[in-house]
Amino acid sequence: MAGRNKIYNEEEALDKAIGVFWEKGYENASSRDLQKAMGIGMGSFYLAYKGGKQELFIKSMDRFFSVYPTHALSMLKTIENPVEVIRQYYYVMADPNGQFRQFGCYFSNAIIQIADPDLKNTAIGHVVTVANAFSAALLRAKEAGIIQPTIPQEMWNIYLLNLWTGLNTAKFIEKDVSKMKAVIDFSLRVFE
């Protein structure tokens, strides 16, 4: 006998799970909270996510990665000067009306809040992928003579990661978005 067909849209369900994890954090989001938000019952939940909440969280991080940074990463592959794309990426983090402003970075939150090494490493992997894409685009621009970075290349990833994580903390302290954007602009001058 064949199993029942899915009666929910998996991408929509993952988007709703992202909302719960983002607002409550991994540890505080119960399976019941997730099922309710996703609009699926317990049986369907454990049939779709045999690893339970942990498997769902990994899939939610993969879904988040496939939706949010995708546009910026695509632009980085074709644009001559990537500094503006990187600037706009960071500006989104400082947007007072955006989800990032309200809940922080999905991946940074996971890295800081979660003890499970598999989940933490998945989040780290996504953040490093973005930093690597930034660095690769910057290197192409440097080699083409478009930018003249004043920071050593071996420091680029950690510098960009430090700016990313720093913004995710500072934005909860500094409410003036123009100041946050000024910090971003100042920080990216090392790549111009």
Side-chain angles (χ1 to χ4, degrees):
M1 176 177 9
R4 293 189 326 190
N5 291 335
K6 280 186 195 174
I7 55 172
Y8 65 94
N9 179 302
E10 186 170 14
E11 289 180 348
E12 287 177 13
L14 283 172
D15 291 342
K16 290 176 182 172
I18 287 168
V20 173
F21 284 131
W22 211 348
E23 182 178 353
K24 293 187 171 202
Y26 175 77
E27 300 296 339
N28 292 329
S30 71
S31 294
R32 186 71 201 123
D33 293 333
L34 293 161
Q35 292 163 24
K36 183 177 177 185
M38 295 167 71
I40 61 176
M42 186 183 341
S44 295
F45 179 83
Y46 286 104
L47 185 62
Y49 309 102
K50 292 174 181 46
K53 185 169 85 166
Q54 181 181 22
E55 180 181 340
L56 174 60
F57 191 67
I58 289 173
K59 287 185 177 185
S60 79
M61 284 192 285
D62 293 344
R63 168 74 178 153
F64 187 91
F65 186 81
S66 75
V67 172
Y68 287 96
T70 302
H71 179 67
L73 296 181
S74 293
M75 287 180 64
L76 286 173
K77 292 177 183 175
T78 60
I79 197 161
E80 257 188 26
N81 186 345
V83 175
E84 190 55 35
V85 173
I86 295 168
R87 180 185 330 277
Q88 293 304 316
Y89 190 87
Y90 287 133
Y91 277 5
V92 168
M93 289 183 190
D95 179 357
N97 300 313
Q99 274 189 308
F100 292 100
R101 183 70 177 194
Q102 185 178 2
F103 299 124
C105 172
Y106 199 61
F107 301 125
S108 294
N109 292 351
I111 292 167
I112 294 166
Q113 297 171 359
I114 296 175
D116 182 295
D118 291 334
L119 297 178
K120 189 179 290 279
N121 287 332
T122 299
I124 289 169
H126 287 307
V127 170
V128 168
T129 297
V130 173
N132 286 341
F134 285 177
S135 291
L138 290 165
L139 180 59
R140 283 191 306 276
K142 177 186 175 189
E143 289 173 347
I146 296 165
I147 62 172
Q148 315 281 302
T150 58
I151 184 172
Q153 184 180 333
E154 63 271 10
M155 302 282 294
W156 293 359
N157 269 22
I158 193 69
Y159 185 85
L160 293 165
L161 289 170
N162 188 54
L163 178 57
W164 183 332
T165 56
L167 287 170
N168 278 297
T169 301
K171 69 184 176 188
F172 291 108
I173 299 166
E174 179 54 62
K175 303 299 182 192
D176 186 338
V177 178
S178 65
K179 288 182 182 176
M180 293 295 292
K181 287 183 174 182
V183 166
I184 293 166
D185 293 342
F186 180 79
S187 298
L188 292 178
R189 282 188 198 154
V190 299
F191 294 110
E192 294 177 344

